[in-house]
Amino acid sequence: MPNLLIIDYGVGLPGSQHDATAWAETCIPQEHGHLFEEGEWVWGDSAYPLQTWCQAPYKKYVLRFVRQHVTNNSPKA
């Protein structure tokens, strides 16, 4: 069961900065090797790059592909 500890936060970054750029400025992506033990990882925003230590929800293009596939393969009335 995850303990849901907050191990990093970023303040003072401009609001106009892209999420992935702001993320790169925090210590998790810079020092993940020291922060996580074997098998540990973090949930990230969908804008963050996928890594073995950073997992994000499905990207929007994957959801669009699934919806399109279902639509194209639905029985026609």
Side-chain angles (χ1 to χ4, degrees):
M1 175 62 94
N3 59 17
L4 304 176
L5 292 176
I6 296 172
I7 60 170
D8 189 23
Y9 58 90
V11 296
L13 299 169
S16 61
Q17 204 169 37
H18 188 274
D19 289 351
T21 304
W23 166 250
E25 297 293 323
T26 66
C27 76
I28 290 178
Q30 295 175 12
E31 301 179 27
H32 61 86
H34 300 291
L35 296 172
F36 301 119
E37 294 181 14
E38 181 70 31
E40 290 184 327
W41 49 275
V42 63
W43 280 114
D45 185 273
S46 61
Y48 304 164
L50 293 175
Q51 304 286 337
T52 57
W53 51 268
C54 179
Q55 298 298 305
Y58 286 112
K59 304 283 185 173
K60 289 180 183 175
Y61 63 84
V62 172
L63 294 176
R64 279 193 298 253
F65 172 79
V66 169
R67 285 187 195 122
Q68 187 66 41
H69 179 74
V70 169
T71 301
N72 290 344
N73 293 302
S74 295
K76 306 295 186 233

